[in-house]
Amino acid sequence: MVNAYNNVLWNDRKRFMGMPLSFTRYILTDKKFITSKGFLSLEEDELDLYKVTDKKLSLPLSQRIFGCGTIVLNVRDVDTPVKTIKNIKNPRKVIEQIDKLVNEQRDAYRVRGKDMIAANLDDDICDCDSDNSDTE
């Protein structure tokens, strides 16, 4: 399945006790991050890297014992606003690689994080015409 994607830079499986015993596969290309789940029936979720707004690395003791960690990506995406990459090997190297690719894609699309946040300000504007009974 990895051969179906162009420019695969990294791929791994979700791990259990440090071993790749899961049917969840993570694939990082130069433009997208893909999560593939399932054995007989596959479900894939793709996100464009330039839409990533924030990254978080979680290294609980239970994962560190096996050299694993979890990466959480906040994304400006309708169906997946938070992407969790669970129990992967070498999470620090992976998050550095994701960070580099996110910046490259933002430069290619001429988009910065503040541009994506500013596009959604209309949703946060207060409706001043609403009836406030607390103020009277």
Side-chain angles (χ1 to χ4, degrees):
M1 176 180 60
V2 175
N3 296 334
Y5 301 103
N6 294 332
N7 302 325
V8 173
L9 303 174
W10 172 84
N11 71 74
D12 198 0
R13 289 183 186 266
K14 181 178 170 185
R15 294 173 180 268
F16 176 72
M17 295 179 62
M19 297 171 40
L21 300 174
S22 173
F23 294 112
T24 300
R25 177 179 290 274
Y26 304 114
I27 302 163
L28 178 65
T29 70
D30 57 343
K31 296 181 181 180
K32 296 183 182 286
F33 187 88
I34 301 125
T35 302
S36 177
K37 296 180 182 180
F39 178 64
L40 296 176
S41 178
L42 293 176
E43 180 180 314
E44 290 188 358
D45 183 34
E46 294 185 6
L47 65 90
D48 294 313
L49 291 175
Y50 77 92
K51 293 183 178 182
V52 174
T53 58
D54 193 28
K55 298 163 292 301
K56 177 182 170 183
L57 179 62
S58 177
L59 300 166
L61 179 62
S62 60
Q63 290 180 3
R64 284 186 300 157
I65 290 171
F66 299 104
C68 296
T70 296
I71 298 172
V72 179
L73 303 175
N74 291 317
V75 185
R76 296 288 305 161
D77 192 28
V78 176
D79 63 338
T80 314
V82 177
K83 170 65 74 179
T84 305
I85 310 164
K86 297 180 182 178
N87 298 333
I88 58 168
K89 283 282 190 185
N90 302 316
R92 287 179 204 237
K93 289 181 182 179
V94 175
I95 201 167
E96 287 174 8
Q97 192 171 20
I98 289 172
D99 191 39
K100 178 183 167 206
L101 292 168
V102 165
N103 289 327
E104 286 176 6
Q105 287 301 300
R106 284 182 181 171
D107 291 343
Y109 285 100
R110 295 183 178 154
V111 174
R112 286 283 127 201
K114 63 183 178 184
D115 297 334
M116 292 185 289
I117 294 169
N120 213 20
L121 284 179
D122 294 336
D123 296 341
D124 297 332
I125 294 176
C126 174
D127 183 14
C128 298
D129 294 333
S130 65
D131 183 27
N132 287 337
S133 59
D134 295 336
T135 58
E136 295 177 11

